[in-house]
Structures are given as C-alpha cells and as structure tokens.
Amino acid sequence: MEAMDATPANPINGTAPEIAGPNSRHRTVGVTIGSGEGAVTVGGGAPIVVQSMTNTDTADIDGTVAQVAQLARAGSELVRITVDRDEAAVAVPRIRERLDRIGIHVPLIGDFHYIGHKLLADHPACAEALAKYRINPGNVGFKEKKDTQFSTIIEQAIRYGKTVRIGANWGSLDEALLTHLMDENAKLPRPIDARAVMREAMVRSALSSAERAVELGLPKDRIILSAKVSAVQDLIAVYREVARRSDFAIHLGLTEAGMGSKGLVAASAAIGVLLQEGIGDTIRYSLTPEPGGDRTVEVKAAQELLQTMGFRTFVPLVAACPGCGRTTSTTFQELARDIQNWIVQSMPEWKKAYPGVEGLNVAVMGCIVNGPGESKHADIGISLPGTGETPTAPVFIDGKKAMTLRGPTLAKDFETVVTDYIERRFGSGARSAAE
C-alpha cells in the first residue's frame, strides 16, 4: 500500500490529504468460497465478508445445524465448525445436507488442527461437504512430518476444489521457526526486541506456508491468510507486514478477544485500524460469550463495525442521544430501544420488499438542544421533549418538519410514520417511478 500524505488539511484552499477507508483497499486476489446460492467472494475488491464460528460439538448434528442456521440468519456469510475427530468428520456431510434442506446455504469451513490430514483423507464425504479448510501451520505437523501432513491437506483441497485458510496463531506458533529466528537475532550486533521476533515469525509462518501451498499446486485464488494475536498493537503490526509482503486475501480477527465490553472494544480497535488502512477482506469477532449467551453477538458486532465505518450497510441506523439532566424521563430511551428492536425484527421482510432500506437513517432524540438538528440530518427523525418541556414531539422527514406527535401512543404512531416513509421511498411505487 502507498503511504498516506501526512500534509494537514488547508482550511483556506480546501485541500486535504487523501485518507484510507472504504474507497482505498489493499489489493488482494479474489477467492470464491462455496458454490451456487451460498457462494461468497473474499478479496479482489469484493465487499468485506462477515464470518463466525460455532461453539457446539460438531458431532451433535441437531445442535450444530441449529447454531449454524442462527448465525447465518443473523448475517454470518461464512460459518466455521470444529472438525477434531472422526465423529465430527462423519457428521459434517449430514450437517450440510440438513442445512440445505432448510434453505441455509452458508458455506461451511472446517477447522482442523493436529490431525486434519488424517480426517480429510479418511472421510472424503467430509472433505467434499466443506467449502473451505482452515489449517494452522503451527500445529499441522511437527519436524519431519510437517511438510508431509501439510501437503496431504493441500492435496485434498486441490482434489476437491476447496479453499484453504492458512491461519498462523500467536498461541500455537511454529516453534522451529521461532527458535531459528531467535537464534539469528541473538547473533546480531544489535538484536531486536523478542516480541518483534515473534511478530516476524508469525508473518513468515503464514507467508511461507502459503508459498508452499502454491508450489504444491493450490492456486492463489484459493488461499486466504490470517495471523492472529491477542494484543491490539501486535495484531496491527503483524497484519501490516502481511499486507505489505503479499496480495493473498486476508482474514482479520483478534484471537481470544475476551468477554463483554473488553472483547468488543479490543476487537473493534484492532480491526478498525486495519480496515481504515485498507487491510482486510473478511472479519470475525472472536468474543467469549456469557454462559449460555447469544453467539450471534459477534456477528452483529462485526456488522456494526463495517456499517459504522462506512464499508457496508446491513440495517437502518438509529441515532439516539446518550441522555443528560434534561432527559430525566425514560420516554426517549424506551422509544429508541423499541424502534431499534422493531427495525431489527422487521428487516428480514423489509429486505425482500424494500431493496435499499438498509441505508435508511433514523434519529430518536431526547430534548430540544440537539434533537431538532440531528433529526433534520436523518432521513426521518423525532425529537422528544426534555424534562419540563412542552410534551410534543416534532417529526422531521428529509430535513423538514412534517408533523408533531403527542400522547401515550407516540411510539406506535412513530412506527407508522416510519413504515409509510419506507413504503414511499423503497416500495414498488417508488421503484416504478424511478424506472
């Protein structure tokens, strides 16, 4: 990637440095995963893809089918499942068949460690049913067995026409490579920091493995790279080097991001910086769920990051103020929550009936200070009265005040206004007029 101009913006003549972002992407080779209705392209300028992973025992066919379907319906465009033993490998084709039967065509990725070469060779139906294999060069094999076992997996991918993600990981780094680089570093007149050596080992592990796969006959358009670590600054440094040294499609993710707000903030910080620099073709939030928690949280987080940064649109945005001493009533909080939930619940039907509706902007504001202005900037917005203010709520449509709502049915009345607006702007009548 080219370095960005560091010249500050000039407020007099209007010139400004070009910034990276949605229109400035690191160029990578496009990779198509799956076929038919579920086919997904990663890299090559395609929209950044959201993916996730089940945490069910893959041998539990019912549980895994249910969770894959849940993740896919939430918006995961690729779903990874663990293939760690014979029982799991035997279950994979049955899972694929069941998903197809209920209309879930999301590509399945098999996550292989240690014995992937054996499982793929022993279970051809599993190798055929998966759309992609994920392997880790740090544990695909050790010493003299490493190349043989790695080659076996690549040969299976070639035989069945599958994509491979070569995913180096901080927690299972290639020990032989790391030892070699540490020894080399120790001999230098001015050795670099040990952590920097580990980062270099991550980059080399991913790139050398990808180059070996190409030598074995797997084309570049069937290879995706990742190099995951659990510290934000290390992740940014590693992926910058991967992007600088190659044009393989790139999978981004902060491994072991953590639970709750910590995991969300850490993953967003790391992935967001790299996306802004144009790096990354598919992303996954590796969040630790609460016991019995909702696995789709990581899908929603990935979507929200991409939409917030302007890379993709998934659902209409609802802008709402944080509240202050002027908004001691919970009315606007309840309305913002209800509108947000209503939009999410309505989206499956809206997407079918109203193409483009995901680009809608809605504002639910709490008082007179910023309420009217924010509402005017949205496609449709409502400004509620603050504490002690006249109990009326003006509604703004396309920047102009359209009406004022009052009374206990205010929330339902506003939903009706939004529904009417969506029908006028995105419905069949609007499309016919445009044509």
Side-chain angles (χ1 to χ4, degrees):
M1 292 186 348
E2 295 181 0
M4 292 190 300
D5 184 359
T7 306
N10 185 330
I12 305 299
N13 62 24
T15 60
E18 182 180 349
I19 60 173
N23 299 316
S24 179
R25 300 269 303 277
H26 168 60
R27 293 182 182 179
T28 58
V29 176
V31 177
T32 298
I33 302 167
S35 59
E37 288 185 54
V40 174
T41 299
V42 173
I48 298 165
V49 171
V50 172
Q51 64 175 276
S52 55
M53 184 176 184
T54 61
N55 61 356
T56 57
D57 178 356
T58 304
D60 172 8
I61 295 172
D62 291 342
T64 302
V65 167
Q67 193 173 87
V68 171
Q70 181 186 37
L71 291 167
R73 288 171 179 143
S76 185
E77 295 155 301
L78 301 169
V79 176
R80 183 157 43 114
I81 60 177
T82 299
V83 188
D84 57 345
R85 63 195 196 280
D86 290 313
E87 292 84 353
V90 168
V92 169
R94 295 172 63 188
I95 291 168
R96 178 73 275 166
E97 183 181 319
R98 289 266 299 275
L99 289 167
D100 288 339
R101 201 183 306 152
I102 61 174
I104 302 294
H105 303 294
V106 63
L108 294 179
I109 304 163
D111 194 61
F112 293 99
H113 295 276
Y114 303 107
I115 59 170
H117 62 290
K118 185 176 186 301
L119 293 173
L120 286 168
D122 290 350
H123 300 280
C126 170
E128 179 64 41
L130 293 168
K132 185 172 81 168
Y133 311 151
R134 188 272 179 165
I135 58 176
N136 183 340
N139 60 32
V140 74
F142 303 98
K143 297 182 179 180
E144 66 278 357
K145 292 182 179 180
K146 179 176 180 178
D147 189 62
T148 300
Q149 294 177 182
F150 178 83
S151 299
T152 299
I153 296 175
I154 299 303
E155 286 161 7
Q156 296 295 321
I158 294 169
R159 177 179 303 166
Y160 294 105
K162 306 300 180 179
T163 297
V164 173
R165 171 159 73 97
I166 296 172
N169 193 292
W170 193 261
S172 49
L173 193 52
D174 185 328
E175 287 297 330
L177 174 62
L178 179 60
T179 299
H180 171 71
L181 291 179
M182 286 291 189
D183 289 344
E184 280 192 344
N185 183 56
K187 296 173 184 176
L188 296 174
R190 300 177 66 181
I192 61 174
D193 178 75
R195 201 170 186 90
V197 178
M198 291 182 71
R199 291 197 294 263
E200 176 63 17
M202 285 281 292
V203 175
R204 287 203 200 180
S205 178
L207 293 180
S208 63
S209 297
E211 289 159 6
R212 178 58 179 147
V214 172
E215 287 176 7
L216 291 167
L218 188 66
K220 291 185 75 171
D221 63 3
R222 296 230 300 273
I223 299 173
I224 295 175
L225 294 188
S226 68
K228 292 188 175 183
V229 303
S230 56
V232 170
Q233 296 298 340
D234 289 320
L235 190 89
I236 293 169
V238 166
Y239 272 104
R240 281 173 174 166
E241 278 301 294
V242 170
R244 187 179 70 82
R245 299 188 205 180
S246 80
D247 61 355
F248 289 103
I250 291 177
H251 167 119
L252 284 187
L254 185 76
T255 192
E256 291 95 35
M259 181 180 284
S261 60
K262 184 270 178 187
L264 286 166
V265 170
S268 297
I271 296 172
V273 167
L274 290 164
L275 290 177
Q276 187 64 22
E277 294 182 2
I279 299 169
D281 301 299
T282 178
I283 66 172
R284 190 236 166 161
Y285 270 61
S286 299
L287 301 178
T288 304
E290 298 285 346
D294 184 358
R295 191 68 168 177
T296 65
V297 168
E298 64 178 48
V299 178
K300 295 167 187 171
Q303 289 180 327
E304 287 174 8
L305 179 72
L306 292 176
Q307 182 152 339
T308 300
M309 294 187 71
F311 288 96
R312 293 185 65 180
T313 54
F314 298 96
V315 297
L317 288 175
V318 178
C321 69
C324 67
R326 298 180 185 86
T327 56
T328 54
S329 165
T330 61
T331 302
F332 92 92
Q333 298 167 351
E334 292 164 359
L335 181 60
R337 178 200 62 201
D338 292 347
I339 291 295
Q340 182 79 62
N341 292 341
W342 171 65
I343 285 174
V344 170
Q345 292 165 7
S346 302
M347 276 306 293
E349 292 302 318
W350 283 358
K351 280 187 176 180
K352 298 175 186 175
Y354 307 116
V357 69
E358 60 271 17
L360 180 71
N361 288 312
V362 180
V364 179
M365 304 303 294
C367 79
I368 199 170
V369 175
N370 290 320
E374 286 286 353
S375 297
K376 288 178 183 177
H377 290 307
D379 295 315
I380 182 167
I382 185 169
S383 177
L384 278 76
T387 305
E389 295 172 11
T390 304
T392 60
V395 174
F396 296 83
I397 297 176
D398 294 329
K400 297 179 180 178
K401 183 178 176 180
M403 65 192 74
T404 299
L405 300 178
R406 299 178 176 84
T409 61
L410 191 147
K412 282 295 179 186
D413 293 342
F414 187 59
E415 286 182 11
T416 299
V417 174
V418 173
T419 300
D420 291 344
Y421 178 83
I422 289 172
E423 175 59 39
R424 288 198 310 274
R425 180 173 169 184
F426 302 101
S428 56
R431 292 195 296 275
S432 297
E435 293 167 358

